[in-house]
Amino acid sequence: TSSKMADPVVVDGDPKMEDLSHLSDEERWRIEHQRLHEKHRGHEAMHAEMVLILIAVLLVAQILLVQWKQRHARSYNAVTLFGLWTIPLYFTLKLLWWRFFSTWVVFSAVTGFIIYKATRKPLSGNTPRLVYKWFYLLYKVSYGLGLLGYFAVMFTFLGVNLIFMIKPETAMDFGVVTIFYGLYYGVLGRDFAEICADKIAATIGYYSTTGMPTRHLEPNVCAVCGQKIIIHEEEDGIIEKTYRLGCDHLYPRSHL
């Protein structure tokens, strides 16, 4: 049998100011739910119109972004990279996320120094190796953070966190934040690595953004030092080994 819901008490003769303290939690929830429906009654058409406008804006924006990327790839990459790098800083300072801010400052300082070295003319002999080591390290760390966050989320879904007496909220937050760090710095590192590689190639002379390159790389010549490579691929060398990259050129190990 269902009990009859008690009537709310009107305060000061105003039906909107009802005293619900004497009602049970379930009855208060029903009244508040009914008020919510009455408040938004007749707004269905407006809500549908808002959804249609949102879908149209998303479609148009997607088309414009694709066209921008196809027609002006350099400006598209520059603007999106700048936004990806600076927009999180605004929310970090506004919401006082000091942990992310500290990692952002360290990443920006080291990457800024690497970009500075990669854009110097003449190019220092150890700059290509320095660029490679930093972005390779960043790739490894980002990859590891992404895997760690993924496993943390999956283990939370499976309830493994309860074995270690860790609350599901804490474990899930750790997993999501770790995945974010891995993706964010991984994407930033990839884009900045492409910029440094283009600058180094243009400085050496094997690449030009405006015309023909000033130098041609022979298959048995190192692009960094310009010396002939004596040890071929998969051959044991006394000094150092060589590696073949995706561009089909050989490089000594130390130059990587």
Side-chain angles (χ1 to χ4, degrees):
T1 60
S2 59
S3 60
K4 183 178 179 181
M5 185 174 65
D7 296 330
V9 178
V10 179
V11 180
D12 295 333
D14 188 356
K16 296 182 180 180
M17 298 293 296
E18 297 174 346
D19 184 12
L20 305 180
S21 59
H22 67 288
L23 302 178
S24 64
D25 294 338
E26 182 179 358
E27 292 172 342
R28 283 200 301 268
W29 180 86
R30 289 178 181 177
I31 294 177
E32 292 174 356
H33 190 67
Q34 182 179 0
R35 289 176 178 175
L36 181 64
H37 278 283
E38 293 177 354
K39 180 179 180 180
H40 293 275
R41 182 177 300 172
H43 293 179
E44 293 80 3
M46 182 182 66
H47 293 166
E49 183 180 356
M50 293 173 61
V51 171
L52 292 177
I53 293 176
L54 177 61
I55 295 175
V57 170
L58 291 177
L59 290 176
V60 173
Q62 186 67 24
I63 294 174
L64 293 177
L65 287 175
V66 171
Q67 292 297 320
W68 182 16
K69 183 177 181 180
Q70 292 178 349
R71 299 176 184 272
H72 306 282
R74 291 179 62 85
S75 62
Y76 173 84
N77 293 332
V79 172
T80 53
L81 177 59
F82 181 78
L84 183 64
W85 180 49
T86 57
I87 290 177
L89 179 63
Y90 167 77
F91 293 100
T92 298
L93 297 176
K94 182 178 181 180
L95 302 175
L96 303 179
W97 292 339
W98 301 119
R99 180 178 54 191
F100 177 81
F101 177 74
S102 60
T103 59
W104 186 92
V105 169
V106 173
F107 169 83
S108 300
V110 178
T111 304
F113 174 75
I114 297 296
I115 295 176
Y116 171 80
K117 295 286 291 185
T119 54
R120 296 305 93 193
K121 293 182 180 181
L123 189 68
S124 177
N126 63 347
T127 297
R129 187 186 307 178
L130 181 65
V131 171
Y132 175 82
K133 285 184 177 181
W134 166 244
F135 288 111
Y136 185 68
L137 173 64
L138 191 62
Y139 163 75
K140 288 293 186 180
V141 173
S142 301
Y143 188 78
L145 288 175
L147 283 180
L148 179 62
Y150 171 78
F151 283 118
V153 172
M154 293 304 299
F155 287 157
T156 304
F157 283 138
L158 297 176
V160 180
N161 59 292
L162 299 178
I163 300 177
F164 302 96
M165 304 298 294
I166 302 176
K167 295 182 179 180
E169 297 82 1
T170 303
M172 185 62 68
D173 290 344
F174 172 79
V176 172
V177 170
T178 306
I179 291 176
F180 168 77
Y181 275 88
L183 290 176
Y184 179 74
Y185 289 112
V187 173
L188 275 183
R190 179 202 62 186
D191 292 346
F192 281 122
E194 292 179 355
I195 294 176
C196 291
D198 291 342
K199 293 296 183 180
I200 292 176
T203 302
I204 295 176
Y206 296 116
Y207 168 78
S208 176
T209 58
T210 57
M212 293 295 295
T214 58
R215 298 174 64 185
H216 174 68
L217 181 62
E218 298 294 336
N220 61 339
V221 175
C222 176
V224 178
C225 64
Q227 301 296 323
K228 185 176 181 180
I229 298 177
I230 302 176
I231 305 300
H232 297 284
E233 184 184 12
E234 298 181 356
E235 290 184 0
D236 294 331
I238 299 177
I239 302 177
E240 58 184 347
K241 295 183 180 180
T242 58
Y243 294 90
R244 186 178 298 275
L245 301 183
C247 58
D248 205 35
H249 286 108
L250 292 175
Y251 286 86
R253 181 177 181 178
S254 62
H255 291 173
L256 293 178

